[in-house]
Amino acid sequence: FDVATRTLYGVDGTTSDLLRIDPLTGSAALVGVLPMGGVRSLAFEPGAGVLHAFTSTQLHLTIDPVAFSVQAELVGPFGTVGGLAYDPEHRVLWGTEASASGLVRVWEPQAVTLGFREVRALATVGGQVLGFDQATGSLVRVDPATGRAALHVAVGPLEVEALALHP
């Protein structure tokens, strides 16, 4: 979500279409077709005006939604990156690494174990990272310095796959 322009973006998993979605009406407009499929996560970087995405083949995509240009790079020795969240305060793109239940800083090739088995969804606010652990149904707070997670609040038996915080 681009707060400055109030634009919501999404990717159709079947067609690889990058979409601009009207949050009031639900109507979707095509921005462009991504040159590769399997997008698993999406995050917006406000300062640069770009979207970040990860595919099931471990490609990190940087997408300019205005010019519709896409750059792809293979990053890190980690596996499939699930949840993504950009922290504008620290200029860090966070992701969850599914096979090791780790938290990754995308541009630093290491993963650290969160201490929870199934953290998939991430969101950042004020330099803090929050995640949702599927196994315990809990919202967890992640220490950005260590990558370790601590229970924040039990939510319940839900399968939350994505989080977003309104600033």
Side-chain angles (χ1 to χ4, degrees), residues 10-126:
V11 175
D12 183 316
T14 305
T15 62
S16 299
D17 291 347
L18 177 63
L19 304 168
R20 185 178 299 110
I21 303 168
D22 184 320
L24 299 177
T25 67
S27 65
L30 179 67
V31 175
V33 179
L34 295 172
M36 62 282 298
V39 170
R40 299 286 183 242
S41 52
L42 192 64
F44 187 76
E45 181 181 344
V50 297
L51 293 160
H52 295 279
F54 261 89
T55 69
S56 57
T57 57
Q58 302 173 7
L59 284 176
H60 168 233
L61 308 179
T62 304
I63 306 162
D64 178 336
V66 176
F68 192 67
S69 63
V70 181
Q71 295 178 351
E73 66 178 330
L74 186 61
V75 295
F78 33 82
T80 302
V81 174
L84 274 182
Y86 185 79
D87 175 3
E89 187 172 314
H90 296 106
R91 302 190 67 198
V92 174
L93 181 62
W94 295 98
T96 58
E97 198 277 312
S99 64
S101 292
L103 182 70
V104 296
R105 291 178 190 237
V106 171
W107 296 294
E108 297 174 22
Q110 80 260 5
V112 290
T113 302
L114 290 170
F116 286 82
R117 293 186 323 215
E118 295 184 42
V119 175
R120 295 187 191 153
L122 292 176
T124 63
V125 65

Side-chain angles (χ1 to χ4, degrees), residues 1-2 5-10 19-23 31 42:
F1 185 75
D2 179 350
T5 64
R6 305 203 46 78
T7 304
L8 180 65
Y9 294 98
L19 304 168
R20 185 178 299 110
I21 303 168
D22 184 320
V31 175
L42 192 64

